[in-house]
Amino acid sequence: MVRLCSRLPAVGRTETGVPSQRLLFPLKQRSHYPPSRLSPLTLSIAGHYSLTLRSDLIMFSRAVRPAVRAGSAVVTRTAPPNAANFATLREIEGRLKSIKNIEKITNTMKVIASTRLTRAQKAMGDSRVYGETSNTVFEKAETKPLEDKKTLLVVASSDKGLCGGIHSGLSKATRRILQEYPESDIVVLGEKAKAQLSRTNPNALVLSFANVCKDIPTFADAQAIADQIALLPTDYASVKIIYNKWLNAQSYEPATVEAYSEEAITKSANISSFEIDDQALANLREYALANSLFWAMAEGHACEISARRNAMENASKNAGEMINKFQILYNRQRQAAITGELVEIITGATASADM
């Protein structure tokens, strides 16, 4: 039997998190009480051994030490190895704050993309007039690419991400075309597709453009790119422009539009029906290439804005679900902490009443 005469027992926790009872002794008190009554700083164990605590010295009897060690070994218990390692309230609160900030960013980007999508669709409709007119001319002239020369692939991508798999889809379509035309060269518009194609086909890249399609493309931008392509030393049979074709606000697919060389236009079966001077064929070829580039860039830009809006909408939805999940976890952890504190208070009060 252990009897404490200085203070009541207090309930605490060990370093492992297991509840335990510890005895609090004030050391700075006098210990010269009459021998007739027990000192407030004297611990009587089973009526045979005694432990006297003083402010300057703690004296243990040799007979008491084994009993004290055994008692401390019983009180101090280790947590089981399979105990759950829950996050603290502060960690959950920090995670909630970061997810809410991400949700604000994705919502803002969604609103911006929705605002820009209307203008991008209008520009896409205007550019189709140029591209479809050029295609109609070559279809009626029955123009076909030459077979004995290389083909140039122009990938109409952009520099920005956070728009789903719109750039990776173009890269996959380009690799499929390269399997049919393995000797083709590649011109890339934008850094995203360039980074992907440079890992698989670095030797095929001959020209690349950065800082394109940041805003709605213009015909002047397409004309500048067409001029740089015309300066390439290789005489290509045709130019295949790979771009994202608009289907609706939720979907798109990679497509190609072809621009022919001057020699291919000259050898067209019905080109004479248009009464074109030979000196104007070079200008027609460059103008047709610029029209096709303008069409591909404008339509690809509209697909990119639509894909970014859809991606940000899905990201905001996922962030909302994560916020609800962590809010429930936070409430449960908070209730568990409050319940634990109440249990400690009630246990301490019960122990005080028993003493």
Side-chain angles (χ1 to χ4, degrees):
M1 176 179 179
V2 178
R3 183 161 57 90
L4 176 65
C5 301
S6 60
R7 285 190 180 181
L8 296 176
V11 178
R13 290 183 180 271
T14 61
E15 295 180 356
T16 58
V18 180
S20 63
Q21 290 187 351
R22 62 176 182 271
L23 305 180
L24 305 179
F25 298 95
L27 297 180
K28 295 184 179 181
Q29 292 188 12
R30 296 182 179 180
S31 60
H32 52 277
Y33 288 90
S36 59
R37 63 191 183 98
L38 186 64
S39 171
L41 299 179
T42 302
L43 178 65
S44 177
I45 302 177
H48 299 286
Y49 309 107
S50 62
L51 171 63
T52 303
L53 303 180
R54 295 173 52 186
S55 60
D56 56 345
L57 181 63
I58 300 178
M59 301 178 62
F60 287 93
S61 174
R62 291 184 178 180
V64 176
R65 291 177 183 175
V68 174
R69 291 172 183 172
S72 62
V74 173
V75 171
T76 305
R77 299 188 301 271
T78 59
N82 57 351
N85 186 16
F86 294 104
T88 61
L89 290 177
R90 181 171 296 180
E91 292 175 351
I92 299 175
E93 188 176 3
R95 180 67 65 86
L96 269 173
K97 184 177 180 180
S98 63
I99 296 175
K100 288 179 180 179
N101 292 336
I102 293 175
E103 185 186 24
K104 292 179 182 178
I105 295 173
T106 54
N107 275 327
T108 303
M109 295 185 67
K110 173 189 171 183
V111 172
I112 294 174
S114 300
T115 305
R116 298 178 60 187
L117 182 59
T118 304
R119 297 174 55 238
Q121 286 179 319
K122 184 178 182 301
M124 177 184 64
D126 296 339
S127 66
R128 279 181 177 177
V129 178
Y130 290 89
E132 291 176 353
T133 301
S134 297
N135 289 344
T136 302
V137 171
F138 295 125
E139 287 176 1
K140 292 183 178 181
E142 298 181 2
T143 305
K144 295 181 180 180
L146 302 178
E147 299 294 338
D148 56 344
K149 293 184 179 180
K150 297 175 65 175
T151 301
L152 180 65
L153 305 180
V154 180
V155 184
S157 179
S158 68
D159 299 332
K160 296 182 180 180
L162 298 177
C163 51
I166 191 168
H167 302 300
S168 59
L170 285 178
S171 300
K172 292 178 181 178
T174 304
R175 296 188 188 100
R176 288 194 297 267
I177 296 176
L178 282 174
Q179 293 178 358
E180 300 178 5
Y181 305 95
E183 300 298 329
S184 301
D185 293 336
I186 302 176
V187 174
V188 182
L189 310 182
E191 294 293 332
K192 290 296 182 178
K194 177 185 176 182
Q196 297 175 5
L197 293 174
S198 60
R199 292 193 294 266
T200 57
N201 305 92
N203 298 327
L205 293 175
V206 295
L207 187 63
S208 63
F209 297 88
N211 299 325
V212 295
C213 297
K214 282 189 173 182
D215 201 355
I216 296 177
T218 61
F219 186 80
D221 298 335
Q223 183 63 48
I225 295 173
D227 292 341
Q228 295 297 323
I229 293 176
L231 295 177
L232 292 175
T234 306
D235 187 14
Y236 297 100
S238 65
V239 179
K240 293 182 180 294
I241 304 173
I242 307 170
Y243 68 101
N244 285 302
K245 182 179 180 181
W246 174 279
L247 298 179
N248 51 55
Q250 301 293 332
S251 60
Y252 51 87
E253 65 179 5
T256 58
V257 59
E258 196 162 8
Y260 302 96
S261 63
E262 182 179 352
E263 184 179 357
I265 296 174
T266 305
K267 294 182 179 180
S268 299
N270 297 329
I271 192 64
S272 59
S273 60
F274 291 95
E275 298 181 358
I276 301 176
D277 296 336
D278 295 338
Q279 298 178 356
L281 286 178
N283 296 331
L284 176 62
R285 184 251 180 181
E286 294 181 5
Y287 184 71
L289 178 59
N291 283 339
S292 300
L293 283 173
F294 179 46
W295 179 18
M297 291 168 60
E299 193 151 352
H301 179 71
C303 293
E304 178 187 350
I305 297 299
S306 177
R308 182 173 291 111
R309 187 195 65 175
N310 297 334
M312 293 301 103
E313 183 179 1
N314 295 333
S316 301
K317 181 180 178 181
N318 294 336
E321 294 177 356
M322 292 183 66
I323 289 173
N324 294 334
K325 175 183 176 181
F326 278 97
Q327 191 67 51
I328 293 174
L329 179 61
Y330 177 81
N331 294 337
R332 288 178 179 175
Q333 291 290 90
R334 184 170 176 270
Q335 291 174 0
I338 294 173
T339 304
E341 293 177 359
L342 291 176
V343 169
E344 292 179 0
I345 294 172
I346 295 172
T347 305
T350 304
S352 301
D354 294 340
M355 296 300 295

